[in-house]
Amino acid sequence: MTLSLSPAKLVLLAVHFAVQADIDSLAVLAARHDTVLRKDLVLRILLTYLPETLQSTKYVGFLEKIEKGTLSENTNHDVDASSVETLAEGDATKRVRKLRLLPLTFKDTPKEVGDDPITSFLVRRSYKVDEEAGLLAELPTLLLPFMDQSAYVRTLLISTILPLLRRNCEYHPEDPIQYTLSAFQELPDRVAVNLLLSRTGAREEDLPVVGRDLRGLIGPWLVDEKKWKTRRRSIVSPNGEEDDGICAGYDEVLRWLTTQASKNWRVAVNAIQQWGGPGDADLAGWGKLELTEQQQDRVQRAYAQAALASAYVLPEASSEAIEGAYSIAAQVANLRGLDPLPPFPSAVALLPPLAEQISEDIISTKTATFMRNDLLASSNILTAPDNSAVAFLEALILSAHLLTHAGQACTIRRAGELALLQDERDQKEQASKLIHHLNHNGPKTDDKFWLGARNEILWLRDWGAEEVSLEATPKGVFSKLKKEFLEVEILKALLFNTRYSLARSLYEDAPDRPLDEKVLQDTVYATAMTAYDNASNPNRTRGGLKKCDEIIKAFPSTLPKSHPLAQKVEALLQATHTLSEYRLVLKQGEPFTPIVLRVHSDPISIIGKILEQNPKSYTRLQDFVDLGNRMVQAGLVKQSPSSSHTSSLPHPPEQVSQRITAMCIDAALTEEDFETAYSFVVTRLDSPATGQEKDDYSWRVALQAGKYRRTARTTKPTHFGTGSANEEIRHLEQRIECLSVALRIAPRATLQEILNVYRRAEEELEVKVRQEEEREEEWDWRGDSVSGTNMPGGFNSTNKAKQARVGGSSRGRDSKEEEAPMSLFDLARATGLTAPRNLSALSGLQRAAGGGAGGGDKNGSERGSMDSARSGEGGGESYWWKS
């Protein structure tokens, strides 16, 4: 049925059908009146009044017919014109003027759209559907039929709508991007990339689909040709020529990748493992990324470089992160067709020789800056995706793994700094920490573990260079350390962990010994001493001392028993073990430990502590002398602290013996055991072996014994022998003997002090002897009185006693009158009363005194006259010591 309507009413009727979404009626109307309802007018009416909520399937067919110009009148469809039939023409014209139809063109219309009305309509309709209704999912149905007719529509659909649709509706609907389609198109590349990937790998369960996001979001997003026309940076091709560079958008993707590596390394690792770069894109079958072969190589090279850069910035030093870095290196080698990397477990087990594959240009302190700066720069030699850079990264990854696995957490970058900066102190510190950790955490009974640990440490030094050439320059993380240093530290660790057989097979029995004999000897000795110093029990059959003993005996060919170092250690162990037999506390609350003996400034003084803390221990004098001699053999005893002239020092064992004897004598006197002290003085200090050189201990303790006075606590003598049965007389005689010894061994400057003590002891003895004689005479007199017998001639016992007392009193008076220092001849006469064996010593003293006076005839004459004067006091006893 043909309608007879004015143009104004036709327009109003078309608007009415559009508002009502009556597409069929609108199609018939447009077909019948195509001269009035032109293509651009119909599209403007649809753009302005067609509801945005209308499903695209309802009108996309109509749009296709408009595009193709195939609208045909449907005679079976009646058009209802009642809405405009009753309108006056004037009113209809006024209403048309008020329609305000939207133009198909818009501000900043892309040049690609051109003058094509259908393309303009589709673009503006897409924006309105998204902005007004939020029905982004309706747009593919609307645009797909027109992809082939309009490159812009295809680009809009693939690079903008498809990523947004997947991001908001399929991949991460729980957190959609809050941007409209048109606003998203205007975002800077960096913002757009971060928005598209803001939820990528955010949850642990999303890590397996990180590649899906890159493939389905970034892949389509990069299809936009405009992104490839804006260059961000240049790329140097393998032949050294600089090309046009990569697009800014792709550069932002690579920067996102390296940023994720530094913050959330699992995302970066999974991304590189699951995504093959821009060519690996999911475009939903709507198109493909059109790149030339040169462009494809360029973007793949840039992607490989970003992948290598990501490995360097992994912040975590865990086995999982390091293995992830290895997978990155393997993926780069695969993408770029480089030498393939073996599986990670195989690489760790084999530790391949990598030094030869690494360019000399890489191993430089200047290169170290590339690990922190300009990782994506074309001039960065570390991230250039070639065999040398990948081999270097592989070496760093394996080094970091070995260190981390051994308890020394190490990132890839840290390993790189060790290798490139070549700081010997830093490398030594790291190596020492590594071996120390193995020392205290390695198994004690697994030789296989320790053999592997040694191989790993040596590999860390040269990255397998010695397997290729012994003269090769080391390039590893311990490259500045001498191999001898590492071998010494490894040997110490083996000995510390009681791997003696393995250590002997490696360092003593091997045909090519890693260490010189002198170095081996010193190392074994030092390790034995470390075990000794760490010991807590002085018993040599337990703990650290037992280990010390085992270590020093572990290399019988290198350190036989006759070797000075072995003898030194044996003496130290014997001395320490002897100390374990006694109670010994040097500081209150701190038990004695072996290291105290080694570091003590005066180890002999420890014997004094034993004597103080162990009653009656002084009776084991010889044991203590032997202990002191072992201290000397162990190198613990230096020169005497009391000696001022080292050239006149006695032989150390002799000096030690004298000092220890003095200590025991002093301890005996302290415990009131004068008999033992006296025995030590006359048998130890008066022996011919001593006296070669006077010491400062013997004469003092002899004098101390000579000054001793009996008390109620003094130990009683067990037998008297040939001495007096009178305990007091016997004690005085013993004191005088001690003083005689002191006179023989004391320095000349101290003789007067000793003589004064001697004289007082002699006076006491004379008094005691006189008292004893008086008691004997009294007993004899009483016996004679009882028997009634008298001696012939009137010389009875009473007269004898009187004469004795008179003589004694006279001698007493004489001695009192001679309070001045007694002469040596008086001393000789007095000592003649005590013990004939003192004769030689006193004669020597007399000669020393005479020599000190200068000698000469005059002095000799004076001594002769003094002898004559004294001869009258002594009776028949005066000159017995001269015969």
PDB file of all heavy atoms in Angstrom, residues 736-762:
ATOM      1  N   ILE A 736     117.049 -24.443 109.874  1.00  0.00           N
ATOM      2  CA  ILE A 736     118.384 -23.954 109.566  1.00  0.00           C
ATOM      3  C   ILE A 736     118.899 -24.587 108.276  1.00  0.00           C
ATOM      4  O   ILE A 736     119.562 -23.928 107.463  1.00  0.00           O
ATOM      5  CB  ILE A 736     119.332 -24.241 110.752  1.00  0.00           C
ATOM      6  CG1 ILE A 736     118.938 -23.328 111.935  1.00  0.00           C
ATOM      7  CG2 ILE A 736     120.783 -24.032 110.360  1.00  0.00           C
ATOM      8  CD1 ILE A 736     119.717 -23.593 113.194  1.00  0.00           C
ATOM      9  N   GLU A 737     118.549 -25.863 108.041  1.00  0.00           N
ATOM     10  CA  GLU A 737     118.933 -26.484 106.781  1.00  0.00           C
ATOM     11  C   GLU A 737     118.286 -25.761 105.596  1.00  0.00           C
ATOM     12  O   GLU A 737     118.915 -25.531 104.563  1.00  0.00           O
ATOM     13  CB  GLU A 737     118.499 -27.948 106.776  1.00  0.00           C
ATOM     14  CG  GLU A 737     119.469 -28.873 107.478  1.00  0.00           C
ATOM     15  CD  GLU A 737     119.168 -30.324 107.166  1.00  0.00           C
ATOM     16  OE1 GLU A 737     119.566 -30.766 106.060  1.00  0.00           O
ATOM     17  OE2 GLU A 737     118.536 -30.998 107.988  1.00  0.00           O
ATOM     18  N   CYS A 738     117.013 -25.398 105.746  1.00  0.00           N
ATOM     19  CA  CYS A 738     116.324 -24.668 104.666  1.00  0.00           C
ATOM     20  C   CYS A 738     116.985 -23.326 104.421  1.00  0.00           C
ATOM     21  O   CYS A 738     117.158 -22.898 103.272  1.00  0.00           O
ATOM     22  CB  CYS A 738     114.853 -24.471 105.019  1.00  0.00           C
ATOM     23  SG  CYS A 738     113.891 -25.999 105.053  1.00  0.00           S
ATOM     24  N   LEU A 739     117.385 -22.667 105.534  1.00  0.00           N
ATOM     25  CA  LEU A 739     118.054 -21.377 105.390  1.00  0.00           C
ATOM     26  C   LEU A 739     119.423 -21.537 104.749  1.00  0.00           C
ATOM     27  O   LEU A 739     119.873 -20.669 103.985  1.00  0.00           O
ATOM     28  CB  LEU A 739     118.166 -20.691 106.749  1.00  0.00           C
ATOM     29  CG  LEU A 739     116.829 -20.254 107.373  1.00  0.00           C
ATOM     30  CD1 LEU A 739     117.043 -19.775 108.805  1.00  0.00           C
ATOM     31  CD2 LEU A 739     116.194 -19.150 106.536  1.00  0.00           C
ATOM     32  N   SER A 740     120.083 -22.648 105.041  1.00  0.00           N
ATOM     33  CA  SER A 740     121.380 -22.908 104.416  1.00  0.00           C
ATOM     34  C   SER A 740     121.215 -23.051 102.906  1.00  0.00           C
ATOM     35  O   SER A 740     122.017 -22.540 102.120  1.00  0.00           O
ATOM     36  CB  SER A 740     121.998 -24.177 105.004  1.00  0.00           C
ATOM     37  OG  SER A 740     122.225 -24.022 106.384  1.00  0.00           O
ATOM     38  N   VAL A 741     120.140 -23.749 102.488  1.00  0.00           N
ATOM     39  CA  VAL A 741     119.870 -23.886 101.059  1.00  0.00           C
ATOM     40  C   VAL A 741     119.596 -22.513 100.452  1.00  0.00           C
ATOM     41  O   VAL A 741     120.080 -22.188  99.365  1.00  0.00           O
ATOM     42  CB  VAL A 741     118.675 -24.836 100.828  1.00  0.00           C
ATOM     43  CG1 VAL A 741     118.256 -24.816  99.363  1.00  0.00           C
ATOM     44  CG2 VAL A 741     119.027 -26.248 101.264  1.00  0.00           C
ATOM     45  N   ALA A 742     118.822 -21.693 101.188  1.00  0.00           N
ATOM     46  CA  ALA A 742     118.522 -20.360 100.686  1.00  0.00           C
ATOM     47  C   ALA A 742     119.794 -19.551 100.493  1.00  0.00           C
ATOM     48  O   ALA A 742     119.947 -18.816  99.509  1.00  0.00           O
ATOM     49  CB  ALA A 742     117.563 -19.646 101.642  1.00  0.00           C
ATOM     50  N   LEU A 743     120.751 -19.696 101.452  1.00  0.00           N
ATOM     51  CA  LEU A 743     121.997 -18.959 101.330  1.00  0.00           C
ATOM     52  C   LEU A 743     122.796 -19.378 100.105  1.00  0.00           C
ATOM     53  O   LEU A 743     123.438 -18.560  99.448  1.00  0.00           O
ATOM     54  CB  LEU A 743     122.841 -19.161 102.596  1.00  0.00           C
ATOM     55  CG  LEU A 743     122.372 -18.388 103.837  1.00  0.00           C
ATOM     56  CD1 LEU A 743     123.120 -18.866 105.061  1.00  0.00           C
ATOM     57  CD2 LEU A 743     122.586 -16.900 103.632  1.00  0.00           C
ATOM     58  N   ARG A 744     122.725 -20.674  99.775  1.00  0.00           N
ATOM     59  CA  ARG A 744     123.517 -21.151  98.649  1.00  0.00           C
ATOM     60  C   ARG A 744     122.950 -20.714  97.292  1.00  0.00           C
ATOM     61  O   ARG A 744     123.696 -20.572  96.332  1.00  0.00           O
ATOM     62  CB  ARG A 744     123.616 -22.676  98.702  1.00  0.00           C
ATOM     63  CG  ARG A 744     124.604 -23.166  99.758  1.00  0.00           C
ATOM     64  CD  ARG A 744     124.869 -24.649  99.580  1.00  0.00           C
ATOM     65  NE  ARG A 744     123.701 -25.473  99.860  1.00  0.00           N
ATOM     66  CZ  ARG A 744     123.352 -25.875 101.083  1.00  0.00           C
ATOM     67  NH1 ARG A 744     124.069 -25.496 102.126  1.00  0.00           N
ATOM     68  NH2 ARG A 744     122.288 -26.629 101.258  1.00  0.00           N
ATOM     69  N   ILE A 745     121.648 -20.523  97.234  1.00  0.00           N
ATOM     70  CA  ILE A 745     121.042 -20.271  95.910  1.00  0.00           C
ATOM     71  C   ILE A 745     120.519 -18.849  95.742  1.00  0.00           C
ATOM     72  O   ILE A 745     120.070 -18.479  94.660  1.00  0.00           O
ATOM     73  CB  ILE A 745     119.893 -21.269  95.643  1.00  0.00           C
ATOM     74  CG1 ILE A 745     118.767 -21.085  96.672  1.00  0.00           C
ATOM     75  CG2 ILE A 745     120.400 -22.700  95.656  1.00  0.00           C
ATOM     76  CD1 ILE A 745     117.588 -22.011  96.459  1.00  0.00           C
ATOM     77  N   ALA A 746     120.575 -18.049  96.825  1.00  0.00           N
ATOM     78  CA  ALA A 746     120.004 -16.697  96.748  1.00  0.00           C
ATOM     79  C   ALA A 746     120.968 -15.734  96.073  1.00  0.00           C
ATOM     80  O   ALA A 746     122.184 -15.923  96.110  1.00  0.00           O
ATOM     81  CB  ALA A 746     119.661 -16.199  98.147  1.00  0.00           C
ATOM     82  N   PRO A 747     120.450 -14.687  95.487  1.00  0.00           N
ATOM     83  CA  PRO A 747     121.314 -13.621  94.945  1.00  0.00           C
ATOM     84  C   PRO A 747     122.084 -12.948  96.074  1.00  0.00           C
ATOM     85  O   PRO A 747     121.630 -12.902  97.224  1.00  0.00           O
ATOM     86  CB  PRO A 747     120.321 -12.666  94.287  1.00  0.00           C
ATOM     87  CG  PRO A 747     119.087 -13.464  94.065  1.00  0.00           C
ATOM     88  CD  PRO A 747     119.038 -14.454  95.170  1.00  0.00           C
ATOM     89  N   ARG A 748     123.245 -12.405  95.763  1.00  0.00           N
ATOM     90  CA  ARG A 748     124.123 -11.811  96.785  1.00  0.00           C
ATOM     91  C   ARG A 748     123.414 -10.684  97.524  1.00  0.00           C
ATOM     92  O   ARG A 748     123.602 -10.515  98.724  1.00  0.00           O
ATOM     93  CB  ARG A 748     125.391 -11.302  96.122  1.00  0.00           C
ATOM     94  CG  ARG A 748     126.382 -10.676  97.091  1.00  0.00           C
ATOM     95  CD  ARG A 748     127.659 -10.339  96.382  1.00  0.00           C
ATOM     96  NE  ARG A 748     128.253 -11.530  95.795  1.00  0.00           N
ATOM     97  CZ  ARG A 748     129.328 -11.498  95.015  1.00  0.00           C
ATOM     98  NH1 ARG A 748     129.895 -10.351  94.703  1.00  0.00           N
ATOM     99  NH2 ARG A 748     129.824 -12.612  94.515  1.00  0.00           N
ATOM    100  N   ALA A 749     122.563  -9.938  96.845  1.00  0.00           N
ATOM    101  CA  ALA A 749     121.914  -8.788  97.482  1.00  0.00           C
ATOM    102  C   ALA A 749     120.953  -9.198  98.588  1.00  0.00           C
ATOM    103  O   ALA A 749     120.582  -8.379  99.427  1.00  0.00           O
ATOM    104  CB  ALA A 749     121.186  -7.971  96.432  1.00  0.00           C
ATOM    105  N   THR A 750     120.536 -10.472  98.619  1.00  0.00           N
ATOM    106  CA  THR A 750     119.538 -10.903  99.611  1.00  0.00           C
ATOM    107  C   THR A 750     120.162 -11.668 100.772  1.00  0.00           C
ATOM    108  O   THR A 750     119.455 -12.100 101.679  1.00  0.00           O
ATOM    109  CB  THR A 750     118.503 -11.805  98.933  1.00  0.00           C
ATOM    110  OG1 THR A 750     119.155 -12.976  98.441  1.00  0.00           O
ATOM    111  CG2 THR A 750     117.821 -11.086  97.788  1.00  0.00           C
ATOM    112  N   LEU A 751     121.494 -11.820 100.764  1.00  0.00           N
ATOM    113  CA  LEU A 751     122.142 -12.664 101.779  1.00  0.00           C
ATOM    114  C   LEU A 751     121.972 -12.123 103.191  1.00  0.00           C
ATOM    115  O   LEU A 751     121.768 -12.880 104.145  1.00  0.00           O
ATOM    116  CB  LEU A 751     123.626 -12.810 101.454  1.00  0.00           C
ATOM    117  CG  LEU A 751     123.958 -13.635 100.199  1.00  0.00           C
ATOM    118  CD1 LEU A 751     125.464 -13.683 100.004  1.00  0.00           C
ATOM    119  CD2 LEU A 751     123.385 -15.030 100.319  1.00  0.00           C
ATOM    120  N   GLN A 752     122.039 -10.821 103.359  1.00  0.00           N
ATOM    121  CA  GLN A 752     121.957 -10.258 104.707  1.00  0.00           C
ATOM    122  C   GLN A 752     120.614 -10.575 105.352  1.00  0.00           C
ATOM    123  O   GLN A 752     120.543 -10.898 106.543  1.00  0.00           O
ATOM    124  CB  GLN A 752     122.163  -8.742 104.652  1.00  0.00           C
ATOM    125  CG  GLN A 752     122.275  -8.091 106.031  1.00  0.00           C
ATOM    126  CD  GLN A 752     123.445  -8.651 106.825  1.00  0.00           C
ATOM    127  OE1 GLN A 752     124.579  -8.682 106.360  1.00  0.00           O
ATOM    128  NE2 GLN A 752     123.182  -9.149 108.040  1.00  0.00           N
ATOM    129  N   GLU A 753     119.554 -10.486 104.567  1.00  0.00           N
ATOM    130  CA  GLU A 753     118.225 -10.799 105.097  1.00  0.00           C
ATOM    131  C   GLU A 753     118.171 -12.250 105.565  1.00  0.00           C
ATOM    132  O   GLU A 753     117.649 -12.551 106.653  1.00  0.00           O
ATOM    133  CB  GLU A 753     117.177 -10.561 104.010  1.00  0.00           C
ATOM    134  CG  GLU A 753     115.759 -10.968 104.438  1.00  0.00           C
ATOM    135  CD  GLU A 753     114.786 -10.928 103.276  1.00  0.00           C
ATOM    136  OE1 GLU A 753     115.181 -10.535 102.163  1.00  0.00           O
ATOM    137  OE2 GLU A 753     113.618 -11.307 103.504  1.00  0.00           O
ATOM    138  N   ILE A 754     118.717 -13.138 104.749  1.00  0.00           N
ATOM    139  CA  ILE A 754     118.690 -14.560 105.112  1.00  0.00           C
ATOM    140  C   ILE A 754     119.565 -14.807 106.343  1.00  0.00           C
ATOM    141  O   ILE A 754     119.218 -15.585 107.254  1.00  0.00           O
ATOM    142  CB  ILE A 754     119.157 -15.413 103.918  1.00  0.00           C
ATOM    143  CG1 ILE A 754     118.252 -15.159 102.713  1.00  0.00           C
ATOM    144  CG2 ILE A 754     119.159 -16.895 104.266  1.00  0.00           C
ATOM    145  CD1 ILE A 754     118.736 -15.815 101.440  1.00  0.00           C
ATOM    146  N   LEU A 755     120.756 -14.142 106.413  1.00  0.00           N
ATOM    147  CA  LEU A 755     121.662 -14.311 107.565  1.00  0.00           C
ATOM    148  C   LEU A 755     121.000 -13.888 108.867  1.00  0.00           C
ATOM    149  O   LEU A 755     121.181 -14.518 109.917  1.00  0.00           O
ATOM    150  CB  LEU A 755     122.943 -13.502 107.337  1.00  0.00           C
ATOM    151  CG  LEU A 755     123.903 -14.056 106.272  1.00  0.00           C
ATOM    152  CD1 LEU A 755     125.032 -13.064 106.035  1.00  0.00           C
ATOM    153  CD2 LEU A 755     124.452 -15.411 106.708  1.00  0.00           C
ATOM    154  N   ASN A 756     120.232 -12.825 108.811  1.00  0.00           N
ATOM    155  CA  ASN A 756     119.539 -12.381 110.028  1.00  0.00           C
ATOM    156  C   ASN A 756     118.568 -13.441 110.521  1.00  0.00           C
ATOM    157  O   ASN A 756     118.497 -13.734 111.719  1.00  0.00           O
ATOM    158  CB  ASN A 756     118.788 -11.084 109.758  1.00  0.00           C
ATOM    159  CG  ASN A 756     119.719  -9.918 109.519  1.00  0.00           C
ATOM    160  OD1 ASN A 756     120.887  -9.956 109.930  1.00  0.00           O
ATOM    161  ND2 ASN A 756     119.224  -8.873 108.850  1.00  0.00           N
ATOM    162  N   VAL A 757     117.800 -14.032 109.571  1.00  0.00           N
ATOM    163  CA  VAL A 757     116.873 -15.093 109.969  1.00  0.00           C
ATOM    164  C   VAL A 757     117.649 -16.299 110.484  1.00  0.00           C
ATOM    165  O   VAL A 757     117.267 -16.940 111.475  1.00  0.00           O
ATOM    166  CB  VAL A 757     115.980 -15.488 108.768  1.00  0.00           C
ATOM    167  CG1 VAL A 757     115.054 -16.637 109.149  1.00  0.00           C
ATOM    168  CG2 VAL A 757     115.180 -14.292 108.288  1.00  0.00           C
ATOM    169  N   TYR A 758     118.756 -16.606 109.806  1.00  0.00           N
ATOM    170  CA  TYR A 758     119.598 -17.732 110.199  1.00  0.00           C
ATOM    171  C   TYR A 758     120.092 -17.553 111.635  1.00  0.00           C
ATOM    172  O   TYR A 758     120.072 -18.498 112.445  1.00  0.00           O
ATOM    173  CB  TYR A 758     120.765 -17.806 109.211  1.00  0.00           C
ATOM    174  CG  TYR A 758     121.557 -19.092 109.308  1.00  0.00           C
ATOM    175  CD1 TYR A 758     121.463 -20.035 108.298  1.00  0.00           C
ATOM    176  CD2 TYR A 758     122.402 -19.352 110.381  1.00  0.00           C
ATOM    177  CE1 TYR A 758     122.176 -21.215 108.382  1.00  0.00           C
ATOM    178  CE2 TYR A 758     123.105 -20.526 110.472  1.00  0.00           C
ATOM    179  CZ  TYR A 758     123.000 -21.466 109.460  1.00  0.00           C
ATOM    180  OH  TYR A 758     123.710 -22.628 109.550  1.00  0.00           O
ATOM    181  N   ARG A 759     120.560 -16.363 111.977  1.00  0.00           N
ATOM    182  CA  ARG A 759     121.117 -16.114 113.304  1.00  0.00           C
ATOM    183  C   ARG A 759     120.072 -16.279 114.398  1.00  0.00           C
ATOM    184  O   ARG A 759     120.315 -16.864 115.443  1.00  0.00           O
ATOM    185  CB  ARG A 759     121.686 -14.692 113.346  1.00  0.00           C
ATOM    186  CG  ARG A 759     122.524 -14.406 114.564  1.00  0.00           C
ATOM    187  CD  ARG A 759     123.115 -13.021 114.505  1.00  0.00           C
ATOM    188  NE  ARG A 759     122.801 -12.354 115.753  1.00  0.00           N
ATOM    189  CZ  ARG A 759     122.504 -11.098 115.891  1.00  0.00           C
ATOM    190  NH1 ARG A 759     122.457 -10.340 114.836  1.00  0.00           N
ATOM    191  NH2 ARG A 759     122.245 -10.568 117.054  1.00  0.00           N
ATOM    192  N   ARG A 760     118.861 -15.774 114.101  1.00  0.00           N
ATOM    193  CA  ARG A 760     117.806 -15.925 115.112  1.00  0.00           C
ATOM    194  C   ARG A 760     117.440 -17.400 115.304  1.00  0.00           C
ATOM    195  O   ARG A 760     117.188 -17.838 116.413  1.00  0.00           O
ATOM    196  CB  ARG A 760     116.582 -15.124 114.691  1.00  0.00           C
ATOM    197  CG  ARG A 760     116.784 -13.615 114.804  1.00  0.00           C
ATOM    198  CD  ARG A 760     115.462 -12.869 114.666  1.00  0.00           C
ATOM    199  NE  ARG A 760     114.942 -12.940 113.317  1.00  0.00           N
ATOM    200  CZ  ARG A 760     115.266 -12.079 112.362  1.00  0.00           C
ATOM    201  NH1 ARG A 760     116.115 -11.085 112.614  1.00  0.00           N
ATOM    202  NH2 ARG A 760     114.743 -12.203 111.157  1.00  0.00           N
ATOM    203  N   ALA A 761     117.429 -18.143 114.203  1.00  0.00           N
ATOM    204  CA  ALA A 761     117.130 -19.573 114.312  1.00  0.00           C
ATOM    205  C   ALA A 761     118.223 -20.293 115.095  1.00  0.00           C
ATOM    206  O   ALA A 761     117.942 -21.193 115.902  1.00  0.00           O
ATOM    207  CB  ALA A 761     116.986 -20.174 112.911  1.00  0.00           C
ATOM    208  N   GLU A 762     119.466 -19.883 114.882  1.00  0.00           N
ATOM    209  CA  GLU A 762     120.587 -20.497 115.601  1.00  0.00           C
ATOM    210  C   GLU A 762     120.486 -20.226 117.105  1.00  0.00           C
ATOM    211  O   GLU A 762     120.720 -21.113 117.931  1.00  0.00           O
ATOM    212  CB  GLU A 762     121.908 -19.956 115.058  1.00  0.00           C
ATOM    213  CG  GLU A 762     123.134 -20.544 115.749  1.00  0.00           C
ATOM    214  CD  GLU A 762     124.374 -19.777 115.414  1.00  0.00           C
ATOM    215  OE1 GLU A 762     124.276 -18.528 115.395  1.00  0.00           O
ATOM    216  OE2 GLU A 762     125.414 -20.399 115.171  1.00  0.00           O
TER     217      GLU A 762
END
